[in-house]
Amino acid sequence: MSRALMIGAGGVASVVAHKCVENSAVFSELCIASRTLARCEALKEKLDGRGCQITTRQVDADDVEALVALIEDYKPEIVMNLALPYQDLTIMDACLRTKTHYLDTANYEPKDTAKFEYSWQWAYRQRFEEAGICAILGCGFDPGVTGVFSAYAQKHYFDKIREIDILDCNGGDHGYPFATNFNPEINIREVSANGRYYENGKFVETQPMEIKRQYNFAEVGEKDMYLLYHEELESLAKNINGIERIRFFMTFGESYLRHLNCLINVGMTSIEPIEFQGQQIVPLQFLKAVLPDPASLGPRTVGKTNIGCIFTGEKDGQQRHHYIYNICDHQECYRETGAQAVSYTTGVPAMIGASLLLQGLWCKPGVYNVEEFDPDPFMDALNRYGLPWREDSDPVLVP
């Protein structure tokens, strides 16, 4: 029986809250905190009386002192950071000050620089060790489950993994000409950045969307997918023994790419401030304000996601391939939690990681990525809490 503090009240947070209530044997008390108290209250109203005791608080996640005051007052055993990646370090600082365990779903990136990497958070490892607390980084789906899949494959199917291809397919249709399935500011920065993949001990950089492949995804169909850089490449390159190449591919429809290219060409995706009617505005932040809120996409999104990893390596001297993946239905997710599958596939793993930490199964002083823990209890929990995984020992490979 544990007390948890959740920072954030968007689509992913909604899923996490629903799943904490479902797992009330571990989460006996939950505080939902956000800059916008009304969103916390609305979520509490949906879930009150179903399991764990829920309270709400208002907090500015950019303000370390405010976070420290909240943590000291509520006294949680873990802080689940479901806010923006810009706020990872302030929340980690508050956890250090209060000696409270920490978990997030995406790595830190500076607000004024389109760059994301783990170096800022890995730098906290010694301080978390000395404080006797644990930080689990990137515990969503990708990053997150993809790292657990990799650790599971390494433990059970391979003596050595040489190549990993991570395939992220969202076959959902929300009916808008252009919208993003998670925070528009983060999504567009990620997609419009240069691609990178890991090969032979170094990262190789590509132009945005330069490398395109087609793949036939189970229960979704054939889709175009593009090579992107994603943060789990950095941690997997460090933590999977003998790895020679890791690539990350994500699917995009023609309408999305056409609109995105137009927005890039006219400067609407820029993070450099400009003057407009006597005020300084950031074009990408303005664009975020006029696009549909990702949390509103749930009732109108139909179709499925298919996300997983194809592994190539050796077992008992023989080359082998193995594919581990999950298929998730947008409408089933919405009926259960009021959120679409992109939020669901991020929120369920966050709850699982937090529950494993609270139960002592994933808890050691320091800062860790998910693939550094035993994957077996996490894999079991995926099946139990709505993200059952599938396997294919003879998958079609990506050229």
Side-chain angles (χ1 to χ4, degrees), residues 155-380:
K155 179 177 180 178
H156 293 283
Y157 297 127
F158 292 90
D159 296 323
K160 181 177 289 186
I161 297 175
R162 296 196 181 278
E163 298 179 2
I164 304 173
D165 277 336
I166 302 169
L167 311 186
D168 183 327
C169 169
N170 180 9
D173 182 4
H174 45 58
Y176 287 115
F178 185 82
T180 63
N181 291 292
F182 58 96
N183 185 287
E185 198 172 348
I186 304 301
N187 176 267
I188 292 172
R189 281 170 60 145
E190 180 180 293
V191 172
S192 59
N194 284 350
R196 276 195 294 166
Y197 62 95
Y198 180 82
E199 189 167 43
N200 296 326
K202 64 181 181 180
F203 281 96
V204 180
E205 190 162 297
T206 70
Q207 293 298 307
M209 306 293 186
E210 178 184 347
I211 296 177
K212 173 184 174 181
R213 299 286 188 268
Q214 287 187 325
Y215 201 81
N216 191 0
F217 291 90
E219 298 189 26
V220 176
E222 190 167 279
K223 295 287 184 180
D224 292 337
M225 60 183 190
Y226 298 83
L227 186 143
L228 304 180
Y229 175 69
H230 229 235
E231 61 247 52
E232 66 261 51
L233 274 66
E234 183 182 14
S235 69
L236 291 173
K238 178 174 176 282
N239 294 321
I240 299 299
N241 297 326
I243 195 72
E244 296 174 0
R245 188 182 74 181
I246 318 174
R247 301 182 295 182
F248 181 95
F249 292 93
M250 183 175 283
T251 64
F252 297 98
E254 286 303 314
S255 177
Y256 178 94
L257 292 178
R258 187 168 59 250
H259 282 80
L260 179 62
N261 286 332
C262 180
L263 292 166
I264 292 172
N265 290 339
V266 299
M268 283 303 300
T269 62
S270 171
I271 62 173
E272 296 298 324
I274 62 169
E275 186 168 320
F276 177 72
Q277 295 184 349
Q279 298 183 60
Q280 290 285 309
I281 68 166
V282 174
L284 182 53
Q285 292 177 357
F286 177 80
L287 177 61
K288 174 185 174 181
V290 300
L291 287 175
D293 181 351
S296 72
L297 300 179
R300 57 185 296 149
T301 304
V302 297
K304 298 179 180 181
T305 63
N306 181 322
I307 312 173
C309 304
I310 299 175
F311 304 98
T312 296
E314 296 155 12
K315 180 69 174 177
D316 299 328
Q318 300 294 315
Q319 178 170 280
R320 71 171 299 176
H321 309 288
H322 203 77
Y323 187 16
I324 309 176
Y325 63 100
N326 163 264
I327 295 173
C328 199
D329 186 282
H330 283 287
Q331 282 299 297
E332 288 181 6
C333 296
Y334 180 72
R335 284 191 289 270
E336 181 186 344
T337 65
Q340 35 86 354
V342 175
S343 295
Y344 192 91
T345 55
T346 305
V348 172
M351 183 283 293
I352 292 172
S355 71
L356 294 178
L357 187 154
L358 292 169
Q359 294 173 83
L361 298 172
W362 274 25
C363 190
K364 52 188 177 181
V367 176
Y368 300 95
N369 296 90
V370 296
E371 64 270 14
E372 296 180 84
F373 295 99
D374 180 8
D376 290 0
F378 195 107
M379 294 289 278
D380 291 342

Side-chain angles (χ1 to χ4, degrees), residues 73-93:
D73 180 59
Y74 187 67
K75 296 180 174 58
E77 292 166 66
I78 188 172
V79 174
M80 294 181 285
N81 172 13
L82 309 172
L84 295 171
Y86 315 143
Q87 296 161 326
D88 288 0
L89 301 189
T90 55
I91 299 174
M92 290 183 78
D93 286 336

Side-chain angles (χ1 to χ4, degrees), residues 102-117:
Y102 169 90
L103 176 142
D104 66 33
T105 62
N107 71 356
Y108 173 72
E109 59 180 283
K111 197 166 187 177
D112 57 357
T113 306
K115 180 179 182 180
F116 52 101
E117 60 184 48

